[in-house]
Amino acid sequence: MRARRASFTISAAAPNGFPPEEVPEVAFAGRSNVGKSSLINSLVGQAGLARTSRTPGRTQLLNWFAVDPPTGDSIAFVDLPGYGYAKVSKKTRAEWQPLIEAYLGDRGVLRAVVLLVDARRGAEGEEQDLAAWLVDREIEVIPVLTKVDKLPKSKRKPAGMAMSRALGIRRNPVLFSAETGDGQDDLWRAILRAVSR
Ligand code: GTP
Ligand code: MG
């Protein structure tokens, strides 16, 4: 499955730049380098989409994409700023957190947050904090373990179970690889279910 059509809409650095709430939205959250852009590109079947819209300093921006899913009405994907880059200070975290929370905490059209965790790193403090924050607000979390092609097949399911445990959520993550296409249909199905609710 892949999107029928997708295009970049707008970037925003602050809540006053968020576009009007017009269609159901699915947000993508994860630490820097976890594979967010690659995952969005592979869901929509356009190698350069999430990257095309990237300009220097964009890490602190939210990026909207208009998407016609495999079936059903138009939706939007929202690429959230990558957080927790190993070398950045608490200061950077203090900057992204209010912006992400301003979006996640007050977006009526938000249907789910796809929470990405790198298969080789597992869930760490920031992912745990974010998952707990979302669960608290009853926002649907779609957990995804990325780059599973880097793990032998026998280690993937155990890594997924460890991720659920670490995040304190019951749902098993989608085991995803942008390299091989693993998990793509599972993830689309989860997204379509979430936006049709
Ligand atoms: P930032 O926007 O910088 O925060 O990163 P991102 O989360 O958007 O990650 P991006 O998609 O740019 O991928 C980061 C690196 O991981 C790139 O070198 C990708 O080629 C690689 N990568 C992404 N997905 C996969 C995957 O499924 N498998 C493998 N092996 N590598 C991947
Ligand atoms: Mg990116």
Side-chain angles (χ1 to χ4, degrees), residues 30-38 51 54 59 80-86 116-121 127 146-147 150:
R31 68 177 52 242
S32 202
N33 205 47
V34 71
K36 277 184 307 133
S37 300
S38 305
R51 212 168 283 279
R54 194 156 84 174
T59 44
L80 300 175
Y83 54 80
Y85 201 55
L116 284 68
V117 169
D118 189 317
R120 293 160 315 166
R121 300 184 61 136
E127 286 94 1
T146 62
K147 309 189 191 181
K150 302 222 175 189

mmCIF file with all atom_site columns, all heavy atoms in Angstrom, residues 30-38 51 54 59 80-86 116-121 127 146-147 150:
data_model
loop_
_atom_site.group_PDB
_atom_site.id
_atom_site.type_symbol
_atom_site.label_atom_id
_atom_site.label_alt_id
_atom_site.label_comp_id
_atom_site.label_asym_id
_atom_site.label_entity_id
_atom_site.label_seq_id
_atom_site.pdbx_PDB_ins_code
_atom_site.Cartn_x
_atom_site.Cartn_y
_atom_site.Cartn_z
_atom_site.occupancy
_atom_site.B_iso_or_equiv
_atom_site.pdbx_formal_charge
_atom_site.auth_seq_id
_atom_site.auth_comp_id
_atom_site.auth_asym_id
_atom_site.auth_atom_id
_atom_site.pdbx_PDB_model_num
ATOM 1   N N   . GLY A 1 30  ? 9.970  11.192 16.923 1.00 0.00 ? 30  GLY A N   1
ATOM 2   C CA  . GLY A 1 30  ? 11.087 10.305 17.226 1.00 0.00 ? 30  GLY A CA  1
ATOM 3   C C   . GLY A 1 30  ? 12.378 11.083 17.283 1.00 0.00 ? 30  GLY A C   1
ATOM 4   O O   . GLY A 1 30  ? 12.442 12.205 16.785 1.00 0.00 ? 30  GLY A O   1
ATOM 5   N N   . ARG A 1 31  ? 13.383 10.472 17.879 1.00 0.00 ? 31  ARG A N   1
ATOM 6   C CA  . ARG A 1 31  ? 14.618 11.218 18.003 1.00 0.00 ? 31  ARG A CA  1
ATOM 7   C C   . ARG A 1 31  ? 15.266 11.414 16.631 1.00 0.00 ? 31  ARG A C   1
ATOM 8   O O   . ARG A 1 31  ? 14.944 10.730 15.670 1.00 0.00 ? 31  ARG A O   1
ATOM 9   C CB  . ARG A 1 31  ? 15.575 10.564 18.998 1.00 0.00 ? 31  ARG A CB  1
ATOM 10  C CG  . ARG A 1 31  ? 16.139 9.248  18.576 1.00 0.00 ? 31  ARG A CG  1
ATOM 11  C CD  . ARG A 1 31  ? 17.137 8.728  19.612 1.00 0.00 ? 31  ARG A CD  1
ATOM 12  N NE  . ARG A 1 31  ? 16.588 8.705  20.948 1.00 0.00 ? 31  ARG A NE  1
ATOM 13  C CZ  . ARG A 1 31  ? 17.083 9.416  21.980 1.00 0.00 ? 31  ARG A CZ  1
ATOM 14  N NH1 . ARG A 1 31  ? 18.108 10.198 21.826 1.00 0.00 ? 31  ARG A NH1 1
ATOM 15  N NH2 . ARG A 1 31  ? 16.542 9.316  23.163 1.00 0.00 ? 31  ARG A NH2 1
ATOM 16  N N   . SER A 1 32  ? 16.150 12.384 16.593 1.00 0.00 ? 32  SER A N   1
ATOM 17  C CA  . SER A 1 32  ? 16.851 12.702 15.362 1.00 0.00 ? 32  SER A CA  1
ATOM 18  C C   . SER A 1 32  ? 17.544 11.446 14.838 1.00 0.00 ? 32  SER A C   1
ATOM 19  O O   . SER A 1 32  ? 18.109 10.678 15.624 1.00 0.00 ? 32  SER A O   1
ATOM 20  C CB  . SER A 1 32  ? 17.874 13.786 15.669 1.00 0.00 ? 32  SER A CB  1
ATOM 21  O OG  . SER A 1 32  ? 18.201 14.454 14.505 1.00 0.00 ? 32  SER A OG  1
ATOM 22  N N   . ASN A 1 33  ? 17.462 11.212 13.531 1.00 0.00 ? 33  ASN A N   1
ATOM 23  C CA  . ASN A 1 33  ? 18.139 10.091 12.885 1.00 0.00 ? 33  ASN A CA  1
ATOM 24  C C   . ASN A 1 33  ? 17.418 8.738  13.047 1.00 0.00 ? 33  ASN A C   1
ATOM 25  O O   . ASN A 1 33  ? 17.915 7.709  12.619 1.00 0.00 ? 33  ASN A O   1
ATOM 26  C CB  . ASN A 1 33  ? 19.583 9.954  13.410 1.00 0.00 ? 33  ASN A CB  1
ATOM 27  C CG  . ASN A 1 33  ? 20.475 9.277  12.403 1.00 0.00 ? 33  ASN A CG  1
ATOM 28  O OD1 . ASN A 1 33  ? 20.449 9.634  11.227 1.00 0.00 ? 33  ASN A OD1 1
ATOM 29  N ND2 . ASN A 1 33  ? 21.226 8.280  12.836 1.00 0.00 ? 33  ASN A ND2 1
ATOM 30  N N   . VAL A 1 34  ? 16.235 8.746  13.656 1.00 0.00 ? 34  VAL A N   1
ATOM 31  C CA  . VAL A 1 34  ? 15.525 7.490  13.878 1.00 0.00 ? 34  VAL A CA  1
ATOM 32  C C   . VAL A 1 34  ? 14.954 6.915  12.579 1.00 0.00 ? 34  VAL A C   1
ATOM 33  O O   . VAL A 1 34  ? 14.621 5.731  12.497 1.00 0.00 ? 34  VAL A O   1
ATOM 34  C CB  . VAL A 1 34  ? 14.393 7.683  14.921 1.00 0.00 ? 34  VAL A CB  1
ATOM 35  C CG1 . VAL A 1 34  ? 13.249 8.504  14.361 1.00 0.00 ? 34  VAL A CG1 1
ATOM 36  C CG2 . VAL A 1 34  ? 13.866 6.361  15.447 1.00 0.00 ? 34  VAL A CG2 1
ATOM 37  N N   . GLY A 1 35  ? 14.848 7.797  11.549 1.00 0.00 ? 35  GLY A N   1
ATOM 38  C CA  . GLY A 1 35  ? 14.321 7.341  10.267 1.00 0.00 ? 35  GLY A CA  1
ATOM 39  C C   . GLY A 1 35  ? 12.941 7.884  9.941  1.00 0.00 ? 35  GLY A C   1
ATOM 40  O O   . GLY A 1 35  ? 12.197 7.295  9.155  1.00 0.00 ? 35  GLY A O   1
ATOM 41  N N   . LYS A 1 36  ? 12.607 9.058  10.494 1.00 0.00 ? 36  LYS A N   1
ATOM 42  C CA  . LYS A 1 36  ? 11.274 9.636  10.265 1.00 0.00 ? 36  LYS A CA  1
ATOM 43  C C   . LYS A 1 36  ? 11.051 10.020 8.814  1.00 0.00 ? 36  LYS A C   1
ATOM 44  O O   . LYS A 1 36  ? 10.028 9.688  8.213  1.00 0.00 ? 36  LYS A O   1
ATOM 45  C CB  . LYS A 1 36  ? 11.070 10.888 11.129 1.00 0.00 ? 36  LYS A CB  1
ATOM 46  C CG  . LYS A 1 36  ? 10.641 10.554 12.536 1.00 0.00 ? 36  LYS A CG  1
ATOM 47  C CD  . LYS A 1 36  ? 10.345 11.801 13.346 1.00 0.00 ? 36  LYS A CD  1
ATOM 48  C CE  . LYS A 1 36  ? 11.507 12.765 13.298 1.00 0.00 ? 36  LYS A CE  1
ATOM 49  N NZ  . LYS A 1 36  ? 11.103 14.132 13.022 1.00 0.00 ? 36  LYS A NZ  1
ATOM 50  N N   . SER A 1 37  ? 12.019 10.762 8.250  1.00 0.00 ? 37  SER A N   1
ATOM 51  C CA  . SER A 1 37  ? 11.850 11.199 6.868  1.00 0.00 ? 37  SER A CA  1
ATOM 52  C C   . SER A 1 37  ? 11.785 9.995  5.930  1.00 0.00 ? 37  SER A C   1
ATOM 53  O O   . SER A 1 37  ? 10.951 9.956  5.022  1.00 0.00 ? 37  SER A O   1
ATOM 54  C CB  . SER A 1 37  ? 13.012 12.114 6.447  1.00 0.00 ? 37  SER A CB  1
ATOM 55  O OG  . SER A 1 37  ? 13.048 13.254 7.272  1.00 0.00 ? 37  SER A OG  1
ATOM 56  N N   . SER A 1 38  ? 12.646 9.021  6.171  1.00 0.00 ? 38  SER A N   1
ATOM 57  C CA  . SER A 1 38  ? 12.655 7.825  5.321  1.00 0.00 ? 38  SER A CA  1
ATOM 58  C C   . SER A 1 38  ? 11.329 7.088  5.407  1.00 0.00 ? 38  SER A C   1
ATOM 59  O O   . SER A 1 38  ? 10.814 6.590  4.394  1.00 0.00 ? 38  SER A O   1
ATOM 60  C CB  . SER A 1 38  ? 13.779 6.877  5.754  1.00 0.00 ? 38  SER A CB  1
ATOM 61  O OG  . SER A 1 38  ? 15.015 7.544  5.756  1.00 0.00 ? 38  SER A OG  1
ATOM 62  N N   . ARG A 1 51  ? 12.412 15.030 2.569  1.00 0.00 ? 51  ARG A N   1
ATOM 63  C CA  . ARG A 1 51  ? 13.692 15.699 2.524  1.00 0.00 ? 51  ARG A CA  1
ATOM 64  C C   . ARG A 1 51  ? 13.637 16.988 1.694  1.00 0.00 ? 51  ARG A C   1
ATOM 65  O O   . ARG A 1 51  ? 14.305 17.959 2.025  1.00 0.00 ? 51  ARG A O   1
ATOM 66  C CB  . ARG A 1 51  ? 14.732 14.760 1.912  1.00 0.00 ? 51  ARG A CB  1
ATOM 67  C CG  . ARG A 1 51  ? 16.116 14.938 2.431  1.00 0.00 ? 51  ARG A CG  1
ATOM 68  C CD  . ARG A 1 51  ? 16.991 13.786 1.987  1.00 0.00 ? 51  ARG A CD  1
ATOM 69  N NE  . ARG A 1 51  ? 16.754 12.577 2.753  1.00 0.00 ? 51  ARG A NE  1
ATOM 70  C CZ  . ARG A 1 51  ? 17.281 12.354 3.949  1.00 0.00 ? 51  ARG A CZ  1
ATOM 71  N NH1 . ARG A 1 51  ? 18.063 13.241 4.505  1.00 0.00 ? 51  ARG A NH1 1
ATOM 72  N NH2 . ARG A 1 51  ? 17.045 11.240 4.586  1.00 0.00 ? 51  ARG A NH2 1
ATOM 73  N N   . ARG A 1 54  ? 13.180 20.045 3.432  1.00 0.00 ? 54  ARG A N   1
ATOM 74  C CA  . ARG A 1 54  ? 14.107 20.317 4.522  1.00 0.00 ? 54  ARG A CA  1
ATOM 75  C C   . ARG A 1 54  ? 15.092 21.413 4.141  1.00 0.00 ? 54  ARG A C   1
ATOM 76  O O   . ARG A 1 54  ? 15.728 21.361 3.100  1.00 0.00 ? 54  ARG A O   1
ATOM 77  C CB  . ARG A 1 54  ? 14.875 19.045 4.884  1.00 0.00 ? 54  ARG A CB  1
ATOM 78  C CG  . ARG A 1 54  ? 15.589 19.196 6.208  1.00 0.00 ? 54  ARG A CG  1
ATOM 79  C CD  . ARG A 1 54  ? 15.830 17.871 6.826  1.00 0.00 ? 54  ARG A CD  1
ATOM 80  N NE  . ARG A 1 54  ? 17.042 17.252 6.309  1.00 0.00 ? 54  ARG A NE  1
ATOM 81  C CZ  . ARG A 1 54  ? 17.516 16.125 6.785  1.00 0.00 ? 54  ARG A CZ  1
ATOM 82  N NH1 . ARG A 1 54  ? 16.883 15.489 7.721  1.00 0.00 ? 54  ARG A NH1 1
ATOM 83  N NH2 . ARG A 1 54  ? 18.620 15.622 6.289  1.00 0.00 ? 54  ARG A NH2 1
ATOM 84  N N   . THR A 1 59  ? 15.218 21.631 11.842 1.00 0.00 ? 59  THR A N   1
ATOM 85  C CA  . THR A 1 59  ? 14.989 20.656 12.910 1.00 0.00 ? 59  THR A CA  1
ATOM 86  C C   . THR A 1 59  ? 13.965 21.148 13.921 1.00 0.00 ? 59  THR A C   1
ATOM 87  O O   . THR A 1 59  ? 13.304 20.357 14.561 1.00 0.00 ? 59  THR A O   1
ATOM 88  C CB  . THR A 1 59  ? 16.296 20.333 13.666 1.00 0.00 ? 59  THR A CB  1
ATOM 89  O OG1 . THR A 1 59  ? 16.981 21.556 13.909 1.00 0.00 ? 59  THR A OG1 1
ATOM 90  C CG2 . THR A 1 59  ? 17.167 19.401 12.857 1.00 0.00 ? 59  THR A CG2 1
ATOM 91  N N   . LEU A 1 80  ? 7.212  15.916 13.131 1.00 0.00 ? 80  LEU A N   1
ATOM 92  C CA  . LEU A 1 80  ? 7.585  16.724 14.299 1.00 0.00 ? 80  LEU A CA  1
ATOM 93  C C   . LEU A 1 80  ? 9.102  16.869 14.375 1.00 0.00 ? 80  LEU A C   1
ATOM 94  O O   . LEU A 1 80  ? 9.834  16.036 13.841 1.00 0.00 ? 80  LEU A O   1
ATOM 95  C CB  . LEU A 1 80  ? 7.045  16.071 15.576 1.00 0.00 ? 80  LEU A CB  1
ATOM 96  C CG  . LEU A 1 80  ? 5.523  15.905 15.646 1.00 0.00 ? 80  LEU A CG  1
ATOM 97  C CD1 . LEU A 1 80  ? 5.126  15.127 16.904 1.00 0.00 ? 80  LEU A CD1 1
ATOM 98  C CD2 . LEU A 1 80  ? 4.835  17.269 15.627 1.00 0.00 ? 80  LEU A CD2 1
ATOM 99  N N   . PRO A 1 81  ? 9.583  17.915 15.050 1.00 0.00 ? 81  PRO A N   1
ATOM 100 C CA  . PRO A 1 81  ? 11.029 18.086 15.170 1.00 0.00 ? 81  PRO A CA  1
ATOM 101 C C   . PRO A 1 81  ? 11.662 16.871 15.833 1.00 0.00 ? 81  PRO A C   1
ATOM 102 O O   . PRO A 1 81  ? 11.121 16.344 16.808 1.00 0.00 ? 81  PRO A O   1
ATOM 103 C CB  . PRO A 1 81  ? 11.178 19.319 16.069 1.00 0.00 ? 81  PRO A CB  1
ATOM 104 C CG  . PRO A 1 81  ? 9.875  20.020 16.025 1.00 0.00 ? 81  PRO A CG  1
ATOM 105 C CD  . PRO A 1 81  ? 8.834  18.978 15.742 1.00 0.00 ? 81  PRO A CD  1
ATOM 106 N N   . GLY A 1 82  ? 12.804 16.410 15.303 1.00 0.00 ? 82  GLY A N   1
ATOM 107 C CA  . GLY A 1 82  ? 13.534 15.308 15.922 1.00 0.00 ? 82  GLY A CA  1
ATOM 108 C C   . GLY A 1 82  ? 14.111 15.777 17.241 1.00 0.00 ? 82  GLY A C   1
ATOM 109 O O   . GLY A 1 82  ? 14.668 16.855 17.323 1.00 0.00 ? 82  GLY A O   1
ATOM 110 N N   . TYR A 1 83  ? 13.965 14.964 18.272 1.00 0.00 ? 83  TYR A N   1
ATOM 111 C CA  . TYR A 1 83  ? 14.436 15.416 19.584 1.00 0.00 ? 83  TYR A CA  1
ATOM 112 C C   . TYR A 1 83  ? 15.594 14.553 20.045 1.00 0.00 ? 83  TYR A C   1
ATOM 113 O O   . TYR A 1 83  ? 15.893 13.510 19.471 1.00 0.00 ? 83  TYR A O   1
ATOM 114 C CB  . TYR A 1 83  ? 13.303 15.362 20.605 1.00 0.00 ? 83  TYR A CB  1
ATOM 115 C CG  . TYR A 1 83  ? 12.627 14.011 20.702 1.00 0.00 ? 83  TYR A CG  1
ATOM 116 C CD1 . TYR A 1 83  ? 13.196 12.984 21.427 1.00 0.00 ? 83  TYR A CD1 1
ATOM 117 C CD2 . TYR A 1 83  ? 11.435 13.778 20.035 1.00 0.00 ? 83  TYR A CD2 1
ATOM 118 C CE1 . TYR A 1 83  ? 12.586 11.751 21.510 1.00 0.00 ? 83  TYR A CE1 1
ATOM 119 C CE2 . TYR A 1 83  ? 10.820 12.545 20.119 1.00 0.00 ? 83  TYR A CE2 1
ATOM 120 C CZ  . TYR A 1 83  ? 11.401 11.539 20.850 1.00 0.00 ? 83  TYR A CZ  1
ATOM 121 O OH  . TYR A 1 83  ? 10.801 10.312 20.921 1.00 0.00 ? 83  TYR A OH  1
ATOM 122 N N   . GLY A 1 84  ? 16.242 15.017 21.095 1.00 0.00 ? 84  GLY A N   1
ATOM 123 C CA  . GLY A 1 84  ? 17.202 14.191 21.811 1.00 0.00 ? 84  GLY A CA  1
ATOM 124 C C   . GLY A 1 84  ? 18.458 13.820 21.056 1.00 0.00 ? 84  GLY A C   1
ATOM 125 O O   . GLY A 1 84  ? 19.032 12.764 21.297 1.00 0.00 ? 84  GLY A O   1
ATOM 126 N N   . TYR A 1 85  ? 18.889 14.660 20.154 1.00 0.00 ? 85  TYR A N   1
ATOM 127 C CA  . TYR A 1 85  ? 20.143 14.359 19.472 1.00 0.00 ? 85  TYR A CA  1
ATOM 128 C C   . TYR A 1 85  ? 21.232 14.281 20.523 1.00 0.00 ? 85  TYR A C   1
ATOM 129 O O   . TYR A 1 85  ? 21.336 15.143 21.406 1.00 0.00 ? 85  TYR A O   1
ATOM 130 C CB  . TYR A 1 85  ? 20.447 15.454 18.447 1.00 0.00 ? 85  TYR A CB  1
ATOM 131 C CG  . TYR A 1 85  ? 21.399 14.996 17.384 1.00 0.00 ? 85  TYR A CG  1
ATOM 132 C CD1 . TYR A 1 85  ? 21.114 13.860 16.628 1.00 0.00 ? 85  TYR A CD1 1
ATOM 133 C CD2 . TYR A 1 85  ? 22.582 15.672 17.136 1.00 0.00 ? 85  TYR A CD2 1
ATOM 134 C CE1 . TYR A 1 85  ? 21.978 13.428 15.652 1.00 0.00 ? 85  TYR A CE1 1
ATOM 135 C CE2 . TYR A 1 85  ? 23.450 15.253 16.158 1.00 0.00 ? 85  TYR A CE2 1
ATOM 136 C CZ  . TYR A 1 85  ? 23.154 14.117 15.420 1.00 0.00 ? 85  TYR A CZ  1
ATOM 137 O OH  . TYR A 1 85  ? 24.011 13.696 14.457 1.00 0.00 ? 85  TYR A OH  1
ATOM 138 N N   . ALA A 1 86  ? 22.047 13.209 20.451 1.00 0.00 ? 86  ALA A N   1
ATOM 139 C CA  . ALA A 1 86  ? 22.973 12.902 21.549 1.00 0.00 ? 86  ALA A CA  1
ATOM 140 C C   . ALA A 1 86  ? 23.795 14.107 22.011 1.00 0.00 ? 86  ALA A C   1
ATOM 141 O O   . ALA A 1 86  ? 24.040 14.276 23.197 1.00 0.00 ? 86  ALA A O   1
ATOM 142 C CB  . ALA A 1 86  ? 23.894 11.778 21.114 1.00 0.00 ? 86  ALA A CB  1
ATOM 143 N N   . LEU A 1 116 ? 8.350  6.606  16.775 1.00 0.00 ? 116 LEU A N   1
ATOM 144 C CA  . LEU A 1 116 ? 9.418  5.798  16.196 1.00 0.00 ? 116 LEU A CA  1
ATOM 145 C C   . LEU A 1 116 ? 10.556 5.575  17.178 1.00 0.00 ? 116 LEU A C   1
ATOM 146 O O   . LEU A 1 116 ? 11.000 6.511  17.847 1.00 0.00 ? 116 LEU A O   1
ATOM 147 C CB  . LEU A 1 116 ? 10.002 6.511  14.965 1.00 0.00 ? 116 LEU A CB  1
ATOM 148 C CG  . LEU A 1 116 ? 9.216  6.500  13.659 1.00 0.00 ? 116 LEU A CG  1
ATOM 149 C CD1 . LEU A 1 116 ? 7.944  7.309  13.772 1.00 0.00 ? 116 LEU A CD1 1
ATOM 150 C CD2 . LEU A 1 116 ? 10.081 7.055  12.532 1.00 0.00 ? 116 LEU A CD2 1
ATOM 151 N N   . VAL A 1 117 ? 11.030 4.329  17.206 1.00 0.00 ? 117 VAL A N   1
ATOM 152 C CA  . VAL A 1 117 ? 12.194 3.974  18.018 1.00 0.00 ? 117 VAL A CA  1
ATOM 153 C C   . VAL A 1 117 ? 13.141 3.151  17.150 1.00 0.00 ? 117 VAL A C   1
ATOM 154 O O   . VAL A 1 117 ? 12.710 2.239  16.433 1.00 0.00 ? 117 VAL A O   1
ATOM 155 C CB  . VAL A 1 117 ? 11.758 3.171  19.270 1.00 0.00 ? 117 VAL A CB  1
ATOM 156 C CG1 . VAL A 1 117 ? 12.959 2.559  19.978 1.00 0.00 ? 117 VAL A CG1 1
ATOM 157 C CG2 . VAL A 1 117 ? 10.966 4.051  20.235 1.00 0.00 ? 117 VAL A CG2 1
ATOM 158 N N   . ASP A 1 118 ? 14.406 3.477  17.217 1.00 0.00 ? 118 ASP A N   1
ATOM 159 C CA  . ASP A 1 118 ? 15.430 2.787  16.422 1.00 0.00 ? 118 ASP A CA  1
ATOM 160 C C   . ASP A 1 118 ? 15.668 1.375  16.981 1.00 0.00 ? 118 ASP A C   1
ATOM 161 O O   . ASP A 1 118 ? 15.935 1.218  18.169 1.00 0.00 ? 118 ASP A O   1
ATOM 162 C CB  . ASP A 1 118 ? 16.733 3.619  16.485 1.00 0.00 ? 118 ASP A CB  1
ATOM 163 C CG  . ASP A 1 118 ? 17.805 3.125  15.525 1.00 0.00 ? 118 ASP A CG  1
ATOM 164 O OD1 . ASP A 1 118 ? 18.004 1.898  15.410 1.00 0.00 ? 118 ASP A OD1 1
ATOM 165 O OD2 . ASP A 1 118 ? 18.456 3.982  14.896 1.00 0.00 ? 118 ASP A OD2 1
ATOM 166 N N   . ALA A 1 119 ? 15.568 0.380  16.104 1.00 0.00 ? 119 ALA A N   1
ATOM 167 C CA  . ALA A 1 119 ? 15.675 -1.021 16.534 1.00 0.00 ? 119 ALA A CA  1
ATOM 168 C C   . ALA A 1 119 ? 16.991 -1.300 17.264 1.00 0.00 ? 119 ALA A C   1
ATOM 169 O O   . ALA A 1 119 ? 17.049 -2.164 18.131 1.00 0.00 ? 119 ALA A O   1
ATOM 170 C CB  . ALA A 1 119 ? 15.555 -1.959 15.333 1.00 0.00 ? 119 ALA A CB  1
ATOM 171 N N   . ARG A 1 120 ? 18.041 -0.590 16.911 1.00 0.00 ? 120 ARG A N   1
ATOM 172 C CA  . ARG A 1 120 ? 19.321 -0.878 17.544 1.00 0.00 ? 120 ARG A CA  1
ATOM 173 C C   . ARG A 1 120 ? 19.528 -0.144 18.863 1.00 0.00 ? 120 ARG A C   1
ATOM 174 O O   . ARG A 1 120 ? 20.430 -0.439 19.612 1.00 0.00 ? 120 ARG A O   1
ATOM 175 C CB  . ARG A 1 120 ? 20.472 -0.546 16.596 1.00 0.00 ? 120 ARG A CB  1
ATOM 176 C CG  . ARG A 1 120 ? 20.522 -1.466 15.379 1.00 0.00 ? 120 ARG A CG  1
ATOM 177 C CD  . ARG A 1 120 ? 21.325 -0.810 14.297 1.00 0.00 ? 120 ARG A CD  1
ATOM 178 N NE  . ARG A 1 120 ? 20.913 0.603  14.178 1.00 0.00 ? 120 ARG A NE  1
ATOM 179 C CZ  . ARG A 1 120 ? 21.584 1.523  13.524 1.00 0.00 ? 120 ARG A CZ  1
ATOM 180 N NH1 . ARG A 1 120 ? 22.714 1.230  12.952 1.00 0.00 ? 120 ARG A NH1 1
ATOM 181 N NH2 . ARG A 1 120 ? 21.122 2.747  13.436 1.00 0.00 ? 120 ARG A NH2 1
ATOM 182 N N   . ARG A 1 121 ? 18.689 0.858  19.128 1.00 0.00 ? 121 ARG A N   1
ATOM 183 C CA  . ARG A 1 121 ? 18.865 1.622  20.376 1.00 0.00 ? 121 ARG A CA  1
ATOM 184 C C   . ARG A 1 121 ? 17.841 1.267  21.436 1.00 0.00 ? 121 ARG A C   1
ATOM 185 O O   . ARG A 1 121 ? 18.126 1.336  22.624 1.00 0.00 ? 121 ARG A O   1
ATOM 186 C CB  . ARG A 1 121 ? 18.715 3.122  20.087 1.00 0.00 ? 121 ARG A CB  1
ATOM 187 C CG  . ARG A 1 121 ? 19.704 3.664  19.097 1.00 0.00 ? 121 ARG A CG  1
ATOM 188 C CD  . ARG A 1 121 ? 19.520 5.159  18.957 1.00 0.00 ? 121 ARG A CD  1
ATOM 189 N NE  . ARG A 1 121 ? 19.746 5.844  20.224 1.00 0.00 ? 121 ARG A NE  1
ATOM 190 C CZ  . ARG A 1 121 ? 20.450 6.957  20.356 1.00 0.00 ? 121 ARG A CZ  1
ATOM 191 N NH1 . ARG A 1 121 ? 20.994 7.503  19.296 1.00 0.00 ? 121 ARG A NH1 1
ATOM 192 N NH2 . ARG A 1 121 ? 20.605 7.532  21.518 1.00 0.00 ? 121 ARG A NH2 1
ATOM 193 N N   . GLU A 1 127 ? 11.628 8.870  24.774 1.00 0.00 ? 127 GLU A N   1
ATOM 194 C CA  . GLU A 1 127 ? 10.492 8.138  24.208 1.00 0.00 ? 127 GLU A CA  1
ATOM 195 C C   . GLU A 1 127 ? 9.514  7.744  25.312 1.00 0.00 ? 127 GLU A C   1
ATOM 196 O O   . GLU A 1 127 ? 8.302  7.766  25.128 1.00 0.00 ? 127 GLU A O   1
ATOM 197 C CB  . GLU A 1 127 ? 10.956 6.874  23.480 1.00 0.00 ? 127 GLU A CB  1
ATOM 198 C CG  . GLU A 1 127 ? 11.611 7.133  22.145 1.00 0.00 ? 127 GLU A CG  1
ATOM 199 C CD  . GLU A 1 127 ? 13.118 7.233  22.236 1.00 0.00 ? 127 GLU A CD  1
ATOM 200 O OE1 . GLU A 1 127 ? 13.669 7.083  23.345 1.00 0.00 ? 127 GLU A OE1 1
ATOM 201 O OE2 . GLU A 1 127 ? 13.744 7.479  21.186 1.00 0.00 ? 127 GLU A OE2 1
ATOM 202 N N   . THR A 1 146 ? 11.951 1.103  14.001 1.00 0.00 ? 146 THR A N   1
ATOM 203 C CA  . THR A 1 146 ? 12.500 1.395  12.666 1.00 0.00 ? 146 THR A CA  1
ATOM 204 C C   . THR A 1 146 ? 13.816 0.648  12.428 1.00 0.00 ? 146 THR A C   1
ATOM 205 O O   . THR A 1 146 ? 14.461 0.182  13.368 1.00 0.00 ? 146 THR A O   1
ATOM 206 C CB  . THR A 1 146 ? 12.772 2.902  12.485 1.00 0.00 ? 146 THR A CB  1
ATOM 207 O OG1 . THR A 1 146 ? 13.760 3.327  13.438 1.00 0.00 ? 146 THR A OG1 1
ATOM 208 C CG2 . THR A 1 146 ? 11.512 3.721  12.659 1.00 0.00 ? 146 THR A CG2 1
ATOM 209 N N   . LYS A 1 147 ? 14.186 0.575  11.152 1.00 0.00 ? 147 LYS A N   1
ATOM 210 C CA  . LYS A 1 147 ? 15.473 -0.019 10.724 1.00 0.00 ? 147 LYS A CA  1
ATOM 211 C C   . LYS A 1 147 ? 15.601 -1.474 11.149 1.00 0.00 ? 147 LYS A C   1
ATOM 212 O O   . LYS A 1 147 ? 16.698 -1.923 11.529 1.00 0.00 ? 147 LYS A O   1
ATOM 213 C CB  . LYS A 1 147 ? 16.654 0.801  11.260 1.00 0.00 ? 147 LYS A CB  1
ATOM 214 C CG  . LYS A 1 147 ? 16.549 2.299  10.966 1.00 0.00 ? 147 LYS A CG  1
ATOM 215 C CD  . LYS A 1 147 ? 17.822 3.038  11.321 1.00 0.00 ? 147 LYS A CD  1
ATOM 216 C CE  . LYS A 1 147 ? 17.616 4.549  11.271 1.00 0.00 ? 147 LYS A CE  1
ATOM 217 N NZ  . LYS A 1 147 ? 18.839 5.308  11.578 1.00 0.00 ? 147 LYS A NZ  1
ATOM 218 N N   . LYS A 1 150 ? 18.299 -4.034 10.219 1.00 0.00 ? 150 LYS A N   1
ATOM 219 C CA  . LYS A 1 150 ? 19.610 -4.125 10.881 1.00 0.00 ? 150 LYS A CA  1
ATOM 220 C C   . LYS A 1 150 ? 19.642 -5.203 11.956 1.00 0.00 ? 150 LYS A C   1
ATOM 221 O O   . LYS A 1 150 ? 20.695 -5.456 12.534 1.00 0.00 ? 150 LYS A O   1
ATOM 222 C CB  . LYS A 1 150 ? 19.965 -2.785 11.510 1.00 0.00 ? 150 LYS A CB  1
ATOM 223 C CG  . LYS A 1 150 ? 20.004 -1.659 10.495 1.00 0.00 ? 150 LYS A CG  1
ATOM 224 C CD  . LYS A 1 150 ? 21.183 -0.760 10.726 1.00 0.00 ? 150 LYS A CD  1
ATOM 225 C CE  . LYS A 1 150 ? 21.256 0.271  9.613  1.00 0.00 ? 150 LYS A CE  1
ATOM 226 N NZ  . LYS A 1 150 ? 22.480 1.044  9.653  1.00 0.00 ? 150 LYS A NZ  1
#
